[in-house]
């Protein structure tokens, strides 16, 4: 079987957690599950524990989707675990939310069915059926899709701040680290933290000033022009 972009192992858990801006222990729990209070809990992202410390691109995309539900909407892991398992079974693909199929055409009906069978609360659904029978995206679904780009049915890059932003996370660029025109946002932030004025950094890397400022905002670095910036 050929290795797809979703199967590519790009990160270890701490590195993937850094890209996602989340706790490494939480990401490990989502990937591998584990035992708590005398009870074993299945993984959320993987069908079963593998012991593999590498994180694939597909797993990172799915973790990005789940993070929105957990951090912004406080959805229980039990509901998300059932939801992912049902979508995976319905589509027969290892990374169901990193595929375009659940988001377009008849695949939307499978996603709606999985939301219902997993007992995910309706106010948290990614899409719902209108009275006309049309299947519409909800705010959580729109939030995910506006940040993920698909090619040949697979998620190929993430725009973590939105599609209008110059910041991308692309498995083909800088080993999947957040970057602006191929320059890691972390490298730009490092230059400013070291004392270089923002305008000089933009000139050194031949980047528009607003793109450098976007990278610094992403890395939570002060963006006051013309002076040294410290981490926010």
């Amino acid at each position: 079987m050929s290795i797809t972009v979703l199967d590519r192992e790009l990160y270890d858990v701490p590195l993937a957690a850094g890209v996602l801006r989340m706790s490494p222990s939480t990401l490990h729990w989502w990937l591998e599950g584990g035992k708590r209070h005398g009870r074993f809990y299945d993984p959320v992202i993987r069908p079963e524990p593998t012991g593999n410390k590498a994180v694939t691109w597909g797993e990172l995309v799915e973790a990005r989707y789940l993070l929105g539900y957990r951090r912004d909407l406080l959805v229980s892991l039990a509901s998300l675990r059932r939801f992912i398992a049902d979508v995976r079974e319905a589509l027969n693909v290892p990374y169901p939310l990193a595929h375009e199929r659940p988001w377009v055409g008849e695949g939307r009906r499978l996603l709606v069915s999985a939301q219902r069978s997993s007992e995910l609360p309706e106010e948290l659904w990614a899409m719902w059926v209108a009275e006309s029978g049309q299947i519409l995206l909800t705010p959580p679904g729109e939030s995910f899709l506006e940040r993920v780009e698909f090619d040949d049915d697979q998620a190929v890059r993430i725009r973590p701040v939105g599609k209008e932003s110059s910041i991308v996370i692309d498995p083909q660029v800088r080993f999947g680290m957040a970057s602006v025109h191929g320059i890691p946002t972390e490298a730009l932030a490092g230059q400013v933290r070291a004392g270089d004025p923002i305008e000089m950094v933009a000139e050194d890397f031949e980047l528009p000033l607003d793109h450098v400022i976007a990278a610094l905002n992403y890395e939570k670095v002060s963006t006051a022009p013309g002076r040294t910036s410290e981490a926010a």
Side-chain angles (χ1 to χ4, degrees), residues 2-3 9 35 44 69 74 80 93 104 113-114 116 139 154 162 170 178 194 197 225:
S2 61
I3 301 297
E9 296 181 345
K35 191 172 182 179
V44 181
Y69 268 92
L74 305 179
L80 291 173
V93 292
V104 299
S113 177
R116 185 177 293 113
Q154 300 179 82
D170 187 325

Side-chain angles (χ1 to χ4, degrees), residues 20-23 25-27 29-31 36 41 44-45 61-84 97 120-121 124 140 143-144:
L20 293 166
R21 303 291 198 270
M22 66 182 297
S23 161
S25 62
T26 298
L27 180 58
W29 180 261
W30 290 4
L31 291 168
R36 287 182 180 174
Y41 292 86
V44 181
I45 295 174
V61 174
E62 294 213 333
R64 175 65 181 81
Y65 179 87
L66 295 176
L67 188 62
Y69 268 92
R70 286 292 290 158
R71 180 176 291 168
D72 301 335
L73 300 173
L74 305 179
V75 183
S76 73
L77 278 183
S79 294
L80 291 173
R81 187 179 288 110
R82 289 194 300 270
F83 171 58
I84 293 288
L97 298 178
L120 192 69
L124 303 177
S143 176
F144 176 73

Side-chain angles (χ1 to χ4, degrees), residues 6-213:
L6 298 179
D7 296 314
R8 288 185 59 188
E9 296 181 345
L10 291 174
Y11 316 89
D12 59 19
V13 170
L15 186 59
V19 171
L20 293 166
R21 303 291 198 270
M22 66 182 297
S23 161
S25 62
T26 298
L27 180 58
H28 181 269
W29 180 261
W30 290 4
L31 291 168
E32 288 288 292
K35 191 172 182 179
R36 287 182 180 174
H37 308 297
R39 176 183 173 185
F40 182 82
Y41 292 86
D42 290 328
V44 181
I45 295 174
R46 293 174 176 168
E48 58 186 22
T50 65
N52 190 351
K53 297 181 180 180
V55 180
T56 67
W57 172 248
E59 289 169 344
L60 185 98
V61 174
E62 294 213 333
R64 175 65 181 81
Y65 179 87
L66 295 176
L67 188 62
Y69 268 92
R70 286 292 290 158
R71 180 176 291 168
D72 301 335
L73 300 173
L74 305 179
V75 183
S76 73
L77 278 183
S79 294
L80 291 173
R81 187 179 288 110
R82 289 194 300 270
F83 171 58
I84 293 288
D86 287 351
V87 179
R88 183 187 294 118
E89 181 178 357
L91 296 177
N92 193 29
V93 292
Y95 309 108
L97 298 178
H99 276 262
E100 194 171 23
R101 285 174 57 195
W103 306 102
V104 299
E106 286 302 308
R108 288 189 170 197
R109 297 193 182 277
L110 291 174
L111 189 59
V112 169
S113 177
Q115 290 172 153
R116 185 177 293 113
S117 63
S118 65
E119 300 180 357
L120 192 69
E122 289 189 15
E123 64 271 19
L124 303 177
W125 285 16
M127 55 186 67
W128 58 283
V129 183
E131 292 184 4
S132 64
Q134 184 179 6
I135 300 178
L136 304 174
L137 284 171
T138 64
E142 289 179 346
S143 176
F144 176 73
L145 286 185
E146 75 177 6
R147 289 170 169 79
V148 178
E149 296 179 11
F150 294 92
D151 183 31
D152 195 23
D153 292 337
Q154 300 179 82
V156 293
R157 67 186 57 85
I158 297 172
R159 293 191 177 270
V161 189
K163 288 191 175 180
E164 301 304 316
S165 173
S166 56
I167 299 171
V168 299
I169 300 173
D170 187 325
Q172 309 289 348
V173 178
R174 295 294 179 179
F175 305 100
M177 302 303 293
S179 64
V180 176
H181 298 292
I183 309 299
T185 57
E186 187 177 65
L188 298 172
Q191 292 286 101
V192 174
R193 289 192 181 105
D196 289 350
I198 296 173
E199 298 89 343
M200 180 182 296
V201 173
E203 182 178 348
D204 287 348
F205 286 96
E206 299 182 346
L207 293 173
L209 182 61
D210 61 328
H211 290 191
V212 174
I213 290 174

